[in-house]
Amino acid sequence: MAGGRCGPQLTALLAAWIAAVAATAGPEEAALPPEQSRVQPMTASNWTLVMEGEWMLKFYAPWCPSCQQTDSEWEAFAKNGEILQISVGKVDVIQEPGLSGRFFVTTLPAFFHAKDGIFRRYRGPGIFEDLQNYILEKKWQSVEPLTGWKSPASLTMSGMAGLFSISGKIWHLHNYFTVTLGIPAWCSYVFFVIATLVFGLFMGLVLVVISECFYVPLPRHLSERSEQNRRSEEAHRAEQLQDAEEEKDDSNEEENKDSLVDDEEEKEDLGDEDEAEEEEEEDNLAAGVDEERSEANDQGPPGEDGVTREEVEPEEAEEGISEQPCPADTEHFHHGHSGSPHSSLLSLGQRTPITARFT
């Protein structure tokens, strides 16, 4: 009986002792804090912290398998951040689409190194050893920095961040329509199309109102005066064009007149030259006739020979004298300017018979 009674009592005492031990051990285990992550989440509100000091950033997405494979390596690298004197951060592109647009992230995971506001893209495997060597050996100095419009702090990338933020909000709204409310996807697309058209019309109306506020229309009399000035300017231009055409025509007429005068002077010069040549020919013919006469008087005896000589010489004289032109025909040659002097003299000689008398 006594042994049967002691058994349950011993069991109860053992249970009480275990409970007491558990009660004393529980608060001690609860007092131990869980291990905290050394990776600092970055958002649109605190991303400017990377502008000071040295940082390494990782862009990831929860659904990305490659990002999940590098999580442990990234955590180990963050634990040694104090030794390496570097801060480690991460960016969830689903929650922070603006930052992904600011850094223009197109592939996941993406790593960036920042040193005093100068950013460089790290394209290594993302394992702990390579990340550690990248910092210790300062391999980032051989990488071309993102400068100019490519820099995340530039105005261009700020605008890109705004566009990515808007697209992220639209995507979240689309998920709310299709997942939470159960609306078909095509209804969500129609809604966004109509919203885009309405927003465009509204922005156009706002621009028109702003332009009307800053644009001051001219008074009526000023507008009429400006119209009159415009018409007068057009008329003045037309008159100038007309005057220019008239001056051009006058200059052409003067050039034509000058050319005609020059032609006439050339013709007169040619006529004077022809007259001089005709006079010389006439003088030569007269001298030849005089010589023949003097030879006939000196050499020819009276008698038959004299008669014969007289008969022959008058014929020669007639032929010589007949070649001399009359004044009327000479004037006709000067005015006509046609034919040669020899042909005109021959024709004159045929029309005017002249006989010679010898003593």
Side-chain angles (χ1 to χ4, degrees):
M1 294 283 301
R5 291 178 180 176
C6 290
Q9 290 177 358
L10 291 174
T11 304
L13 290 173
L14 182 60
W17 179 77
I18 294 173
V21 171
T24 56
E28 293 179 359
E29 292 180 357
L32 293 176
E35 186 178 0
Q36 295 180 353
S37 175
R38 300 295 181 89
V39 180
Q40 183 175 356
M42 307 303 295
T43 61
S45 59
N46 66 348
W47 81 272
T48 53
L49 295 175
V50 301
M51 301 295 293
E52 298 178 358
E54 190 172 7
W55 284 77
M56 285 294 292
L57 295 179
K58 173 187 175 182
F59 288 81
Y60 72 100
W63 48 263
C64 176
S66 299
C67 300
Q68 296 173 2
Q69 292 177 1
T70 59
D71 285 343
S72 59
E73 301 288 340
W74 195 251
E75 290 290 341
F77 176 68
K79 289 179 181 179
N80 294 328
E82 294 181 359
I83 300 174
L84 299 173
Q85 296 181 354
I86 188 171
S87 301
V88 181
K90 61 180 180 179
V91 180
D92 186 355
V93 296
I94 302 300
Q95 300 297 328
E96 299 295 335
L99 285 180
S100 65
R102 185 178 291 276
F103 285 81
F104 203 71
V105 176
T106 56
T107 58
L108 294 176
F111 303 94
F112 287 87
H113 174 267
K115 177 70 173 178
D116 296 330
I118 300 176
F119 297 88
R120 292 175 174 84
R121 182 74 179 265
Y122 167 77
R123 300 183 182 277
I127 60 177
F128 172 73
E129 290 80 6
D130 190 74
L131 291 170
Q132 188 174 4
N133 294 331
Y134 186 79
I135 300 301
L136 291 175
E137 298 176 6
K138 295 184 178 181
K139 294 181 179 180
W140 49 269
Q141 292 180 350
S142 61
V143 180
E144 184 180 0
L146 302 176
T147 57
W149 66 272
K150 296 181 181 180
S151 176
S154 64
L155 183 62
T156 306
M157 290 295 106
S158 298
M160 188 68 69
L163 292 176
F164 273 66
S165 298
I166 294 173
S167 65
K169 292 178 181 179
I170 293 174
W171 183 77
H172 286 298
L173 186 60
H174 175 72
N175 288 338
Y176 175 76
F177 288 157
T178 56
V179 177
T180 305
L181 300 180
I183 298 175
W186 65 270
C187 294
S188 178
Y189 296 148
V190 170
F191 170 78
F192 284 116
V193 170
I194 295 174
T196 303
L197 294 176
V198 172
F199 180 75
L201 293 174
F202 176 75
M203 292 301 297
L205 180 61
V206 170
L207 292 176
V208 170
V209 172
I210 293 173
S211 63
E212 289 293 334
C213 292
F214 286 98
Y215 174 73
V216 179
L218 294 174
R220 184 174 181 181
H221 64 280
L222 293 177
S223 61
E224 292 177 354
R225 185 179 299 175
S226 62
E227 184 68 19
Q228 292 177 359
N229 294 333
R230 185 180 63 81
R231 291 179 181 178
S232 62
E233 289 178 358
E234 291 179 355
H236 182 64
R237 290 177 183 175
E239 290 178 358
Q240 289 180 350
L241 291 174
Q242 187 174 1
D243 294 339
E245 292 178 356
E246 291 178 356
E247 290 178 357
K248 187 176 181 180
D249 295 337
D250 295 337
S251 63
N252 292 332
E253 290 179 359
E254 290 178 357
E255 290 177 357
N256 294 330
K257 288 180 181 179
D258 294 338
S259 62
L260 291 174
V261 171
D262 295 337
D263 293 339
E264 291 178 358
E265 290 178 355
E266 290 178 357
K267 290 180 181 179
E268 290 178 358
D269 295 337
L270 292 173
D272 295 338
E273 292 178 357
D274 294 339
E275 288 179 0
E277 291 178 357
E278 290 174 1
E279 290 177 358
E280 290 179 359
E281 290 179 356
E282 290 176 359
D283 294 337
N284 293 331
L285 290 174
V289 172
D290 293 337
E291 290 178 357
E292 290 177 357
R293 286 180 182 178
S294 62
E295 290 177 358
N297 292 331
D298 295 338
Q299 298 178 4
E304 295 179 355
D305 294 336
V307 173
T308 307
R309 192 80 174 178
E310 290 176 357
E311 292 178 356
V312 173
E313 287 180 356
E315 292 178 357
E316 293 177 354
E318 182 179 355
E319 292 178 357
I321 296 170
S322 64
E323 293 179 356
Q324 297 179 358
C326 65
D329 291 335
T330 304
E331 292 179 359
H332 175 73
F333 175 77
H334 288 316
H335 291 288
H337 296 285
S338 62
S340 64
H342 299 289
S343 62
S344 61
L345 291 173
L346 291 174
S347 62
L348 290 173
Q350 292 176 0
R351 290 198 303 267
T352 309
I354 302 174
T355 58
R357 296 179 181 180
F358 299 93
T359 56

